[in-house]
Amino acid sequence: MSQDLLRLDLLVPALMYCALLWWVGRGLSWTAKLATAVVTLVLIVVVVMAERGWR
């Protein structure tokens, strides 16, 4: 397995995001939870790609 997949600087924020989404989304419908998760994950991917130089 690649070292990049085991880096804590990527794993910890992802786990924190999941916990925060669960806590905030308790009152949301499943479609709203799914939409929030998708939008946030797309933003995370864009930020990571920008930091790495769009490679």
Side-chain angles (χ1 to χ4, degrees):
M1 191 177 280
S2 172
Q3 280 294 88
D4 285 338
L5 294 177
L6 298 176
R7 293 178 49 184
L8 289 179
D9 60 335
L10 296 176
L11 185 61
V12 171
L15 291 175
M16 291 176 62
Y17 162 72
C18 291
L20 183 62
L21 182 62
W22 173 80
W23 184 71
V24 169
R26 289 180 294 171
L28 298 176
S29 67
W30 281 105
T31 54
K33 287 180 189 178
L34 183 61
T36 303
V38 168
V39 168
T40 306
L41 290 175
V42 167
L43 289 173
I44 290 170
V45 168
V46 168
V47 168
V48 169
M49 288 178 66
E51 285 181 348
R52 295 182 181 210
W54 300 99
R55 291 181 189 172

